Amino acid sequence: MDLVNHLEGRLLFAVPKKGRLQQATLDLLSGADVQFRRETRLDIALVKNLPIALIFLPAADIPTFVGEGRVDIGITGRDQVAEHDATLPAGEVSGVEEILDLGFGGCKLQVQVPQKGDINEASQLVGRNVVTSFTALSEAFFAKLEGVAPGEKLSTKIKYVGGSVEAACALGVADGIVDLVESGETMKAAGLKAIDTVVESTAVLVKSRNSNTDLLNLITSRIRAIRPVPVQHSSLQTGNRIKNYPGKRAPTITALEEPEWVAVSSMVEKKRIATVMDELIKVGATDILVLNIANSRTD
């Protein structure tokens, strides 16, 4: 059977194949009970317990594949989505729709210059050489500084480099760069300092604007639910239908400061976590926290 037939009928989910977002993304999928095994050097993995195929792509390419509808859903950085959208013709609506801020992979796309140089403001780079792998965002940023309309020729020379952008100034290729900054250690080690911020970023869950299936909504719900949220009191009676989990006679119910909300705790078999979370969402839970139990003794 060929690859096309393998993928037929499956939700296509793009995930970073490497880089700073990959491990956190894989941990997130594990928490959502997405079970898969990725064979060495293969960029496609079929999920065992759901009709989903994971497509491993460079984070920078994921917005393009999602925007064109080649994949249904994906995880990438907001900076990559912004770069993709900045390349669209004026007036064109992006095919990439952000569903959820995932809260990890925080960084800033910043304008950087040599620490020992005489440049302290981004406006001082106008007309000079700037190297980046985010050319569309950089061009839009300097277009505003120069006061020219998007798409018009800039006096600032924006050059593309795919990697090791921070070396451009030391090698005499650029007067400044636009690059991602997380902790700032790489920037400092390269003798650079940040003088402006182009965009702030975090990992986001995105979908193709035309994709909307029950499975997509289910996996979105699972990912959204990997956060602590209480249950509304009016839903508690319905929630009691699923309270009798093995090893626990009844859930623990704790009042919260807001009178209409309570927190509900119960023991669940590990293999049932994802499906129980699905049920809880249906009966009104708005946040769910999963904790491991180191030991338990029951009659």
Side-chain angles (χ1 to χ4, degrees):
M1 185 177 292
D2 61 27
L3 182 58
V4 173
N5 290 331
H6 270 302
L7 298 181
E8 187 175 356
R10 289 180 177 266
L11 182 82
L12 303 185
F13 195 147
V15 296
K17 67 184 298 183
K18 59 182 179 179
R20 62 189 183 86
L21 300 182
Q22 189 194 49
Q23 189 55 55
T25 296
L26 297 182
D27 291 343
L28 188 70
L29 294 177
S30 176
D33 195 29
V34 176
Q35 301 173 18
F36 71 97
R37 178 181 176 183
R38 183 187 179 190
E39 299 295 339
T40 305
R41 294 188 296 277
L42 288 183
D43 289 336
I44 295 177
L46 302 183
V47 174
K48 301 175 184 178
N49 59 328
L50 291 166
I52 296 173
L54 300 181
I55 314 297
F56 290 84
L57 297 168
D61 293 343
I62 290 176
T64 298
F65 280 82
V66 172
E68 293 181 356
R70 308 295 181 180
V71 297
D72 302 290
I73 191 170
I75 292 175
T76 188
R78 183 176 282 125
D79 54 300
Q80 301 292 356
V81 176
E83 174 71 9
H84 168 269
D85 290 354
T87 65
L88 299 175
E92 182 175 328
V93 177
S94 174
V96 182
E97 182 178 336
E98 181 178 324
I99 305 174
L100 185 64
D101 184 333
L102 298 175
F104 63 83
C107 63
K108 296 179 181 180
L109 184 64
Q110 294 189 307
V111 182
Q112 303 167 44
V113 295
Q115 292 177 355
K116 298 180 179 180
D118 58 356
I119 299 176
N120 296 301
E121 296 181 2
S123 58
Q124 292 176 270
L125 284 172
V126 169
R128 301 197 188 189
N129 295 320
V130 175
V131 162
T132 183
S133 48
F134 292 84
T135 54
L137 285 174
S138 298
E139 287 171 0
F141 178 84
F142 281 97
K144 289 182 180 179
L145 289 182
E146 294 186 25
V148 303
E152 291 185 7
K153 185 175 178 60
L154 299 176
S155 62
T156 308
K157 302 170 185 64
I158 310 293
K159 299 180 180 180
Y160 174 81
V161 171
S164 301
V165 177
E166 67 278 358
C169 292
L171 296 175
V173 178
D175 300 296
I177 67 171
V178 177
D179 199 18
L180 291 176
V181 177
E182 294 180 76
S183 66
E185 293 303 315
T186 300
M187 176 179 66
K188 292 175 183 177
L192 302 171
K193 63 182 179 181
I195 57 174
D196 213 329
T197 297
V198 177
V199 66
E200 295 191 15
S201 181
T202 187
V204 290
L205 180 69
V206 296
K207 77 176 189 72
S208 176
R209 191 167 294 278
N210 296 324
S211 294
N212 187 26
T213 65
D214 289 342
L215 182 55
L216 187 150
N217 293 331
L218 172 66
I219 200 66
T220 297
S221 177
R222 286 189 180 187
I223 291 173
R224 181 179 281 114
I226 307 177
R227 300 177 173 198
V229 196
V231 177
Q232 198 161 15
H233 198 280
S234 60
S235 300
L236 186 58
Q237 189 63 38
T238 310
N240 283 340
R241 298 174 190 167
I242 54 175
K243 71 180 181 180
N244 295 315
Y245 301 124
K248 198 77 172 178
R249 292 185 180 86
T252 300
I253 301 171
T254 307
L256 300 178
E257 282 193 29
E258 295 187 32
E260 69 273 21
W261 292 92
V262 294
V264 180
S265 300
S266 190
M267 186 183 294
V268 182
E269 290 179 290
K270 185 174 182 179
K271 66 182 180 181
R272 297 186 59 206
I273 287 175
T275 53
V276 169
M277 290 169 77
D278 295 339
E279 294 175 41
L280 288 171
I281 291 294
K282 290 178 182 177
V283 300
T286 55
D287 251 341
I288 301 170
L289 176 65
V290 177
L291 300 173
N292 291 324
I293 299 175
N295 200 347
S296 178
R297 298 184 183 184
T298 57
D299 296 333

